[in-house]
Amino acid sequence: MKLLSVRNFINTAVFGIAAMQLVALFDVQHQLISYDGIAVYLPLVSAIGLIALWIGYRKFARSEKKIRAKSLQLSQESLALNTHGLVLVTDSNGIITHANENFLKTTGYDYDDIIQQHVDMLYYVQDVQQRIELKATVDAGGCWQGETRIRKKDGSTLWTSLTILPGYDRFGKQCGAISVRTDITEIKNMRVTQEVFKTLNYLVDEVFIFELDTLRLKYANSAAEAAHGLEHTADPDASMRDVHPIYATDCFEHALDTLRSAKNNVVNCEVEKNGRHYAARLQLLESESGSNDVLASFHDVSERVEAEKQRGEFISIVSHELRSPMTSVKGAMGLLLAGSAGPLDGKVRDILEIAHRNSDRLINIINDLLDIEKIAAGKMSFDCGAYEISALLDEAVLANEKFSKRFDVSIERDENLKGMVFIDFDRSLQVMNNLLSNASKFSPPGGSVKVGGRETAQAFEITVTDNGPGIPADMIGKIFDKFAQVERHKDGPVRSTGLGLAIVKAIAEEQGGTVSVTSELGQGSTFTVSFPKLQASNITPDQNDLEQAS
């Protein structure tokens, strides 16, 4: 406004003076002057000059106005660019000389973090070829446009739409580059999500995505929609409970509670729907918005379940049919060894003892097969009661002493472990027999197996330690699976069925205990099994009266 007032004043003054000179032109009292014989009125000359000056000034004023308008436009464009764009300036050596506020805010860097640093610090090594191409374009005076990714300060990826062009100094010489970026990370992620959903639609497995807390259904692939007649998976009122009753059962809720407790990001379980069996995998998806979604996939395993059922029934039938005659064979050999048919010479007795031992081994294998099928069918029964832990360990050591001597291995036990446990004695003895026999088989001749442990608030943790070859690291997590076997050493013991430790795990857990193993190759292994201590809640009124009477 001040500039305009001055301009108006000058306009008015110049125009006024010119007007006065024109009026004076007609004043008859003014004298003519002669210049080379030409008579000229002085006021006329002054008036013409002032008018020319005024016209020139008006042209200048109009030019200035256009410049100011252009400057204002450029200023607004620069403001818009800095508000919405990510601007970075580098010199001819690729050193960062300027980054606008929006760039710093979006990438998380401080000004001092990147100024005077090479621009390559922002790029991934895998994108070096793209970096070379855009640099070559700019060095040649061209403009490069495309999608690039850069590394933010926290290590995450920022996808951008980039325009980069040469920079020039005040002499018009090319120097460095100016890059303007737009954040397209969200758009890029949406594209990826669309591709993922498109891929999921090709799967034969049923796939759902739903909110963990509300169970609101957000996505169902084509297989899931076809299986459950879903037409509008984006319905805000749709819930997993509406899809099928199985998603409202305690089993499914327990799997969701595991995810909610953050104990695990993945839960595997089996569900049954409409007479079919499905292996379910629930994966927790944590979004940047803070909402927790679940990706659930259901694979039909009905054929596998049916095959396992038939195999189990076959094994059960065969095992039962084998056990009776094998018991008779073993009994007959026992009678012969006892001398019921007369004295036996040395060679015959040796052969008969070998047969008798192997009949024992065969019967144990048959019993393991029957036990594992009982466990799988949930039919293994337990008769738990109060027992002294030392009695269990004494019985186990006594039962395995003869077996361990066959391998020239001794068993050493901690005599200080005493206390009451609440267990099925025979099943727990089976656990200890499996652990001790395995330790004896895998210990070197002249070695020893140590039985120790400790008392905790809730249980007695019993350890069985050998100094055998140890268990490979890749087998530690599988050692308690059915039919799992450690690779046999050249001179190692005969391979077992791989059922013993699976049975140990099942029995321990059914009684409320646990089993684990630590091992190092060449240093032996230590198996730890816990037996729950006797609690007040385990004692029946009859037992309590009996203890008080004693």
Side-chain angles (χ1 to χ4, degrees):
M1 291 297 292
K2 183 177 180 181
L3 182 62
L4 289 174
S5 298
V6 172
R7 182 184 300 158
N8 290 336
F9 173 77
I10 294 173
N11 276 331
T12 303
V14 171
F15 186 78
I17 294 171
M20 286 188 294
Q21 291 296 329
L22 285 174
V23 171
L25 177 65
F26 298 99
D27 188 347
V28 296
Q29 295 181 357
H30 280 80
Q31 299 297 319
L32 291 173
I33 63 170
S34 177
Y35 183 75
D36 291 337
I38 300 174
V40 180
Y41 278 106
L42 287 175
L44 177 61
V45 174
S46 300
I48 292 171
L50 288 171
I51 290 171
L53 178 63
W54 179 74
I55 291 172
Y57 178 78
R58 290 294 294 169
K59 287 183 179 180
F60 172 77
R62 283 195 295 270
S63 298
E64 183 189 19
K65 185 176 181 181
K66 289 180 180 179
I67 292 172
R68 291 185 69 257
K70 193 66 175 177
S71 176
L72 180 61
Q73 180 183 354
L74 290 174
S75 177
Q76 292 297 102
E77 290 175 356
S78 177
L79 178 62
L81 180 64
N82 276 288
T83 301
H84 298 286
L86 284 63
V87 181
L88 199 70
V89 179
T90 58
D91 64 14
S92 56
N93 295 318
I95 301 300
I96 300 170
T97 58
H98 173 72
N100 73 337
E101 189 66 29
N102 203 26
F103 184 95
L104 299 174
K105 180 180 178 181
T106 304
T107 60
Y109 290 104
D110 294 326
Y111 195 77
D112 293 337
D113 291 335
I114 60 174
I115 297 303
Q116 297 305 313
Q117 300 295 321
H118 200 280
V119 71
D120 283 350
M121 68 171 286
L122 300 173
Y123 287 89
Y124 289 89
V125 176
Q126 300 91 323
D127 300 337
V128 63
Q129 187 59 41
Q130 184 188 52
R131 172 88 175 90
I132 292 172
E133 291 175 4
L134 67 87
K135 184 177 185 303
T137 300
V138 173
D139 288 347
C143 173
W144 190 95
Q145 291 181 307
E147 293 183 359
T148 64
R149 60 174 182 169
I150 57 177
R151 187 187 292 108
K152 296 168 68 174
K153 185 175 181 178
D154 61 7
S156 61
T157 298
L158 175 70
W159 281 98
T160 67
S161 176
L162 169 65
T163 298
I164 183 168
L165 55 151
Y168 294 91
D169 61 19
R170 61 192 182 93
F171 302 108
K173 182 180 179 182
Q174 183 176 332
C175 61
I178 301 173
S179 63
V180 181
R181 291 177 168 85
T182 303
D183 185 356
I184 61 168
T185 305
E186 186 173 349
I187 297 173
K188 195 80 173 178
N189 290 338
M190 287 177 62
R191 291 177 191 166
V192 173
T193 301
Q194 290 172 354
E195 289 297 320
V196 170
F197 285 163
K198 184 178 179 180
T199 303
L200 291 177
N201 276 326
Y202 289 112
L203 297 180
V204 296
D205 294 345
E206 297 175 27
V207 179
F208 300 94
I209 296 178
F210 59 91
E211 291 181 354
L212 177 60
D213 296 325
T214 65
L215 297 190
R216 184 176 72 85
L217 183 60
K218 301 176 74 172
Y219 169 80
N221 72 341
S222 298
E225 289 182 343
H228 300 286
L230 301 174
E231 297 180 358
H232 304 290
T233 56
D235 182 354
D237 296 325
S239 167
M240 283 297 288
R241 294 190 179 95
D242 301 326
V243 175
H244 193 278
I246 187 65
Y247 303 124
T249 60
D250 292 340
C251 173
F252 194 71
E253 278 295 333
H254 176 70
L256 295 179
D257 286 340
T258 303
L259 293 178
R260 292 187 186 107
S261 65
K263 292 180 179 178
N264 205 333
N265 286 338
V266 179
V267 176
N268 295 301
C269 59
E270 287 198 8
V271 297
E272 186 177 353
K273 296 187 296 184
N274 305 326
R276 306 288 293 177
H277 294 268
Y278 293 84
R281 177 184 174 85
L282 278 63
Q283 170 79 53
L284 186 63
L285 306 175
E286 296 182 359
S287 66
E288 291 184 359
S289 63
S291 63
N292 288 333
D293 294 337
V294 177
L295 173 67
S297 61
F298 298 87
H299 179 63
D300 192 337
V301 292
S302 301
E303 292 182 4
R304 188 201 73 190
V305 171
E306 182 61 27
E308 289 180 350
K309 180 181 177 183
Q310 292 179 1
R311 185 190 69 178
E313 290 174 351
F314 173 77
I315 291 175
S316 180
I317 292 171
V318 171
S319 299
H320 274 103
E321 293 299 319
L322 285 174
R323 185 161 63 175
S324 295
M326 278 306 305
T327 302
S328 298
V329 170
K330 178 186 174 184
M333 286 189 290
L335 290 173
L336 291 174
L337 288 170
S340 60
L344 302 172
D345 65 37
K347 182 174 287 189
V348 171
R349 176 173 288 278
D350 290 343
I351 294 173
L352 199 57
E353 284 179 348
I354 292 172
H356 189 260
R357 286 197 303 269
N358 280 283
S359 66
D360 266 340
R361 182 169 177 268
L362 186 55
I363 289 174
N364 287 336
I365 291 173
I366 293 170
N367 288 335
D368 282 349
L369 288 170
L370 289 171
D371 283 342
I372 209 71
E373 290 308 317
K374 285 180 183 177
I375 291 167
K379 295 180 180 179
M380 178 172 277
S381 59
F382 288 83
D383 182 18
C384 293
Y387 295 94
E388 172 61 53
I389 187 67
S390 60
L392 174 66
L393 299 182
D394 287 341
E395 184 76 15
V397 171
L398 183 63
N400 283 273
E401 274 185 343
K402 187 175 181 180
F403 178 82
S404 63
K405 285 180 180 178
R406 286 170 45 195
F407 297 92
D408 191 21
V409 172
S410 61
I411 300 177
E412 303 172 5
R413 128 162 164 72
D414 182 358
E415 302 289 344
N416 296 320
L417 282 172
K418 296 184 184 298
M420 300 299 293
V421 288
F422 189 74
I423 56 173
D424 182 313
F425 190 87
D426 291 334
R427 293 294 184 192
S428 299
L429 184 59
Q430 186 178 357
V431 167
M432 293 304 303
N433 284 341
N434 265 307
L435 295 179
L436 288 172
S437 62
N438 276 350
S440 298
K441 286 188 293 185
F442 285 96
S443 292
S448 63
V449 173
K450 293 181 172 58
V451 180
R454 68 188 186 96
E455 180 180 358
T456 69
Q458 301 295 326
F460 280 93
E461 294 181 350
I462 307 303
T463 58
V464 176
T465 303
D466 63 61
N467 52 359
I471 302 170
D474 61 337
M475 281 298 299
I476 291 291
K478 307 174 186 176
I479 198 70
F480 294 105
D481 294 344
K482 287 189 293 185
F483 305 108
Q485 294 179 328
V486 178
E487 190 66 29
R488 179 189 172 192
H489 287 257
K490 183 177 179 181
D491 300 321
V494 178
R495 278 179 145 180
S496 64
T497 59
L499 295 175
L501 291 178
I503 293 171
V504 165
K505 183 176 186 290
I507 292 175
E509 292 179 350
E510 284 292 330
Q511 295 184 127
T514 59
V515 63
S516 60
V517 61
T518 58
S519 184
E520 186 176 343
L521 286 178
Q523 301 297 319
S525 305
T526 296
F527 286 84
T528 303
V529 58
S530 66
F531 296 103
K533 292 171 72 173
L534 180 66
Q535 306 291 336
S537 58
N538 301 137
I539 302 175
T540 63
D542 292 340
Q543 287 177 317
N544 193 40
D545 292 341
L546 182 61
E547 288 181 3
Q548 289 180 356
S550 61

